[in-house]
């Protein structure tokens, strides 16, 4: 199959722009709790109703207008994930502005480049430090700017000051501005993270957001509804988190924000979400933590059997979903019941005890990891999308999960596979072009956006990803290698944060295994040894025989999955600064060209 489409489930008639989503929800359920916001001083969570949120949005929008924000003006937001981000986002749209999100971890040069390229007029910072970066960036532009303001309540120039300045703007003036933008007007300019080149400004329209929000909400109504709640800890500068927020807001699903992902597990018992969106690494760490606790209690062998049972149970459940006849397996059923009492129930409790589904995106999800979570009673829905597709392009659906695939095109979207195997996309969520028209060159073919990803469609029209078009390796003997399958298999080991296959123009394949700092230190402590930490901007080889022997097993297992010509002969274990935004994107993807540049000596040593 070379093309797969899913018809839309929701019409966009009756919606002028994204703000209508909030207006409609506030009219339908004004007293429904839309957000839970943490009080930093007490740690307690207070509810905010849909009407209360809308009132805050309108008040801040009037403040923007009082500062002379005009329809179509860009407003930048640079802050950690928090409730005020949501208020500022919707308020900018109510004021007719275009939102320019900036990752809170961005460097000064990145902030300067985005502010200048987008012609930002006013900026909102999460902290005084963010605000200072934005203020400096605004000062370097030729645009007449309106200042940088902060979400931090302890300083001057705050959102509260903006609100106070807008009391003279009438409701009629605000309503006229709110309804100015049409579906085809720009809603946001999101700059890509630049894993393979310079960041590009992706212009997403109100139609893109409306199409995705309404259709995804319809497709996943079993999960996203007013009886559920979620915790958003992914960066709101990422279109996936913002899209999720709009879907939840429009559907009445309660939202809590966490700015520090490391606090998520400790908070789940309090918030008890019914649905979570994570990257695969989070799932890997949950599984690894459970294995570590079992080992500490002398139950490593029992845990290994529990893992195998969960995977078998997950595979059985998927076959039932697919309508296949499954032979009764009393032994598996008994083992599952026993291990549920010993381990699985406790894992579900760690996640709050109410999580019905987890959505995984942002990177490839290992098939066994997906089956494991399905087997413990928390199915993982894997999806796929890009900034240019307003986040999800494809996704598995409840009752139709196929581990190893990223699902079928979502409603209103079409996926085509080119003759070269590239994934092409067209439909409601797909953008029309970049801010810089020069970046559009080669980005589209026959009306389809070129994703740059390689993939294939199975007989049910589900997409199976097979790597990046630009990441293929051509060895000196002319073999073309797609490294994704091998890299993903090695990355299933908790110690490996990133696996990078190398070998362009070389006689054989090698690899760099980038250690996960937290897991590596825990492993070293358990082994009674120490591992040197890399210096900033350094990629340093780690020469520990026991560590190398441990990871050799992961390499051997990955090699067993691929053809002989795709197997890695040599590898080097390295430490890198994974907080370095020159090396790692805000969505935690390695910039392969930067890795290869910084580790050039280490790579060459693999071919001596």
């Amino acid at each position: 199959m070379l093309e797969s489409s899913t018809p839309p489930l929701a019409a966009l008639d009756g919606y002028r722009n994204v703000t209508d989503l909030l207006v409609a929800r506030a009219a339908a359920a004004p007293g429904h709790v839309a957000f839970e916001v943490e009080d930093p001083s007490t740690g307690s969570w207070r509810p905010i109703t849909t009407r209360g949120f809308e009132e805050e949005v309108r008040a801040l929008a009037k403040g923007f207008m009082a500062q002379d924000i005009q329809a179509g003006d860009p407003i930048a937001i640079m802050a950690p994930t928090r409730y005020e981000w949501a208020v500022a986002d919707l308020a900018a749209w109510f004021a007719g502005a275009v939102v320019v999100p900036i990752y809170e971890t961005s460097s000064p040069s990145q902030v300067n480049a985005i502010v200048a390229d987008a012609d930002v007029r006013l900026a909102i910072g999460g902290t005084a430090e963010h605000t200072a970066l934005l203020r400096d960036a605004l000062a370097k532009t030729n645009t007449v700017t309106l200042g940088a303001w902060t979400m931090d309540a302890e300083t001057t120039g705050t959102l509260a000051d903006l609100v106070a300045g807008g009391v003279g703007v009438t409701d009629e003036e605000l309503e006229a501005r709110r309804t100015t933008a049409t579906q085809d007007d720009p809603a946001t300019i999101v700059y890509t993270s630049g894993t393979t080149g310079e960041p590009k400004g992706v212009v997403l329209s109100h139609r893109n957001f409306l199409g995705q929000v309404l259709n995804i909400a319809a497709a996943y109504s079993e999960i996203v509804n007013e009886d559920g709640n979620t915790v958003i800890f992914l960066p709101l500068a990422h279109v996936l988190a913002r899209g999720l927020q709009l879907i939840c807001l429009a559907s009445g699903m309660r939202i809590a924000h966490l700015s520090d992902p490391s606090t998520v597990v400790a908070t789940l018992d309090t918030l008890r979400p019914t649905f979570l969106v994570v990257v695969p690494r989070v799932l890997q760490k949950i599984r690894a933590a459970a294995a570590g606790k079992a080992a500490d209690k002398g139950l490593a062998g029992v845990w290994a059997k529990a893992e195998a049972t969960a995977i078998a149970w997950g595979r059985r459940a998927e076959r039932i979903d697919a309508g296949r006849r499954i032979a009764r397996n009393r032994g598996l059923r008994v083992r599952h019941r026993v291990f549920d009492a010993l381990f699985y129930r406790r894992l579900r409790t760690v996640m709050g005890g109410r999580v019905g589904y987890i959505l995984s995106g942002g990177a490839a999800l290992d098939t066994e990891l997906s089956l494991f979570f399905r087997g413990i009673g928390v199915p993982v829905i894997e999806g796929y999308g890009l900034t240019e597709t307003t986040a999800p392009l494809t996704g598995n659906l409840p009752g139709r999960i196929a581990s190893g695939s990223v699902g079928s095109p979502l409603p209103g979207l079409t996926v085509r596979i080119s003759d070269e195997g590239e994934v092409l996309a067209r439909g409601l969520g797909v953008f029309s072009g970049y801010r810089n028209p020069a970046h559009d060159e080669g980005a589209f073919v026959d009306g389809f956006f070129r994703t740059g990803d390689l993939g294939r469609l199975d007989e049910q029209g589900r997409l199976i990803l097979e790597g990046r078009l630009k990441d293929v390796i051509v060895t000196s003997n002319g073999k073309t290698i797609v490294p994704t399958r091998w890299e993903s298999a090695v990355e299933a080991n908790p110690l490996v944060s990133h696996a990078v296959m190398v070998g362009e123009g070389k006689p054989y394949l090698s690899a760099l295994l980038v250690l996960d700092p937290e897991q590596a230190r825990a492993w070293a402590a358990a082994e009674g040894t120490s591992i040197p930490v890399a210096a900033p901007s350094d990629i340093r080889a780690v020469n520990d025989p026991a560590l190398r022997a441990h990871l050799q097993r992961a390499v051997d297992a990955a090699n067993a999955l691929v053809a002989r010509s795709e197997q890695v002969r040599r590898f080097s274990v390295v430490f890198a600064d994974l907080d370095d935004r020159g090396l790692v994107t805000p969505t935690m993807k390695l910039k392969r060209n930067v890795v290869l540049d910084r580790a050039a000596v280490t790579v060459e040593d693999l071919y001596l």
Side-chain angles (χ1 to χ4, degrees):
M1 184 179 291
L2 296 178
E3 186 171 304
S4 179
S5 297
T6 303
L9 293 176
L12 308 191
D13 299 341
Y15 292 89
R16 184 170 179 83
N17 59 50
V18 173
T19 66
D20 282 342
L21 294 170
L22 175 55
V23 171
R25 180 61 191 170
H32 188 81
V33 175
F35 294 92
E36 291 177 297
V37 180
E38 186 178 21
D39 182 339
S41 60
T42 65
S44 60
W45 294 79
R46 63 183 176 90
I48 294 179
T49 65
T50 310
R51 177 67 73 207
F53 175 67
E54 185 193 32
E55 289 173 350
E56 289 189 55
V57 166
R58 289 182 180 276
L60 182 56
K62 289 180 178 181
F64 288 147
M65 291 173 63
Q67 291 298 316
D68 198 33
I69 280 291
Q70 301 297 314
D73 280 350
I75 293 179
I77 304 175
M78 181 185 185
T81 296
R82 54 192 286 186
Y83 171 70
E84 292 82 2
W85 217 116
V87 175
D89 197 16
L90 269 294
W93 281 330
F94 266 64
V98 176
V99 179
V100 181
I102 302 176
Y103 285 99
E104 60 158 326
T105 53
S106 297
S107 67
S109 62
Q110 290 171 324
V111 176
N112 292 342
I114 291 173
V115 168
D117 187 74
D119 291 329
V120 170
R121 290 207 68 209
L122 184 148
I124 303 293
T127 65
E129 291 75 18
H130 293 139
T131 310
L133 280 174
L134 292 166
R135 187 175 295 116
D136 290 344
L138 289 171
K140 292 180 172 70
T141 70
N142 296 322
T143 304
V144 178
T145 61
L146 303 173
W149 307 72
T150 180
M151 297 175 185
D152 189 341
E154 298 179 358
T155 64
T156 58
T158 65
L159 297 189
D161 294 327
L162 275 172
V163 168
V167 294
V169 178
T170 67
D171 291 343
E172 292 74 21
E173 289 172 322
L174 175 60
E175 185 63 10
R177 181 66 67 79
R178 182 187 75 79
T179 55
T180 298
T182 68
Q183 290 188 8
D184 294 316
D185 284 321
T188 191
I189 306 171
V190 183
Y191 285 81
T192 60
S193 52
T195 55
T196 57
E198 64 174 304
K200 302 172 183 176
V202 178
V203 182
L204 299 176
S205 69
H206 286 271
R207 183 185 300 276
N208 291 142
F209 275 112
L210 286 169
Q212 291 288 70
V213 168
L214 296 172
N215 280 281
I216 292 172
Y220 292 94
S221 59
E222 176 184 335
I223 300 172
V224 184
N225 53 62
E226 61 182 20
D227 295 323
N229 66 302
T230 191
V231 180
I232 296 179
F233 53 91
L234 299 177
L236 279 172
H238 194 287
V239 72
L240 174 60
R242 283 174 78 204
L244 170 65
Q245 181 163 263
L246 284 172
I247 292 167
C248 292
L249 187 60
S251 304
M253 191 171 198
R254 196 166 71 252
I255 301 169
H257 297 100
L258 287 177
S259 59
D260 183 358
S262 68
T263 66
V264 172
V265 174
T267 312
L268 295 180
D269 187 48
T270 300
L271 296 172
R272 303 190 69 215
T274 60
F275 173 62
L276 287 173
V277 177
V278 302
V279 293
R281 195 67 184 159
V282 172
L283 301 178
Q284 290 171 352
K285 289 188 175 183
I286 291 174
R287 182 181 178 185
K293 287 183 179 180
D296 291 342
K297 296 177 181 179
L299 298 173
V302 179
W303 171 255
K305 293 178 181 177
E307 283 187 308
T309 298
I311 291 168
W313 190 265
R315 185 173 287 113
R316 179 178 182 275
E318 287 199 2
R319 287 172 177 167
I320 293 173
D321 282 352
R324 301 179 188 175
R325 290 180 59 86
I326 303 296
R328 296 187 66 181
N329 189 331
R330 188 171 181 276
L332 176 61
R333 188 177 297 277
V334 170
R335 290 195 302 275
H336 188 270
R337 186 181 302 121
V338 170
F339 290 133
D340 188 74
L342 284 176
F343 298 113
Y344 308 157
R345 191 178 304 160
R346 296 182 185 184
L347 269 176
R348 294 195 300 271
T349 300
V350 166
M351 290 183 279
R354 296 178 67 226
V355 174
Y357 290 91
I358 292 175
L359 173 65
S360 176
L365 176 66
D366 178 68
T367 298
E368 283 202 352
L369 188 63
S370 174
L371 292 171
F372 169 79
F373 275 89
R374 178 73 182 267
I376 70 168
V378 187
V380 179
I381 294 175
E382 189 174 7
Y384 160 73
L386 305 92
T387 301
E388 290 89 344
T389 62
T390 322
L393 172 64
T394 67
N396 283 285
L397 295 171
R400 289 158 52 193
I401 297 173
S403 297
S405 88
V406 291
S408 303
L410 291 171
L413 292 162
T414 298
V415 167
R416 175 184 290 180
I417 306 301
S418 74
D419 292 341
E420 295 73 31
E422 184 179 8
V423 179
L424 310 177
R426 184 175 67 186
L428 285 171
V430 181
F431 81 137
S432 298
Y434 295 102
R435 176 168 171 78
N436 183 349
H439 291 150
D440 291 339
E441 185 177 350
F444 297 88
V445 58
D446 297 332
F448 282 79
F449 170 63
R450 300 182 59 190
T451 67
D453 289 309
L454 295 170
R456 59 184 171 84
L457 294 168
D458 68 11
E459 60 275 11
Q460 278 78 42
R462 294 180 299 230
L463 178 63
I464 298 167
L465 295 175
E466 298 182 325
R468 288 285 296 170
L469 191 63
K470 292 184 178 180
D471 286 348
V472 297
I473 296 169
V474 181
T475 61
S476 61
N477 55 18
K479 289 283 186 181
T480 299
I481 309 296
V482 179
T484 305
R485 188 181 185 197
W486 187 93
E487 291 174 346
S488 296
V490 176
E491 287 170 357
N493 187 297
L495 287 176
V496 182
S497 179
H498 301 278
V500 182
M501 183 186 285
V502 297
E504 182 70 28
K506 301 294 186 181
Y508 57 86
L509 297 171
S510 298
L512 301 175
L513 307 188
V514 183
L515 291 174
D516 180 290
E518 181 182 338
Q519 294 292 330
R521 291 187 185 95
W523 179 88
E527 294 291 319
T529 185
S530 62
I531 297 176
V533 178
S537 302
D538 188 18
I539 295 180
R540 181 181 301 170
V542 178
N543 298 309
D544 184 293
L547 177 63
R548 184 174 182 84
H550 177 82
L551 292 178
Q552 181 68 59
R553 292 194 288 273
V555 170
D556 292 343
N559 279 343
L561 296 175
V562 297
R564 184 176 181 83
S565 61
E566 299 171 316
Q567 294 176 354
V568 163
R569 291 194 197 176
R570 302 183 67 186
F571 68 92
S572 181
V573 183
V574 300
F575 233 135
D577 181 6
L578 298 181
D579 292 323
D580 180 356
R581 287 298 169 253
L583 179 69
V584 183
T585 74
T587 52
M588 298 307 296
K589 294 178 181 137
L590 274 187
K591 298 181 180 179
R592 185 180 290 264
N593 58 336
V594 177
V595 173
L596 297 180
D597 180 59
R598 293 188 187 179
V601 174
T602 302
V603 171
E604 285 303 314
D605 287 345
L606 292 169
Y607 293 93
L608 293 179

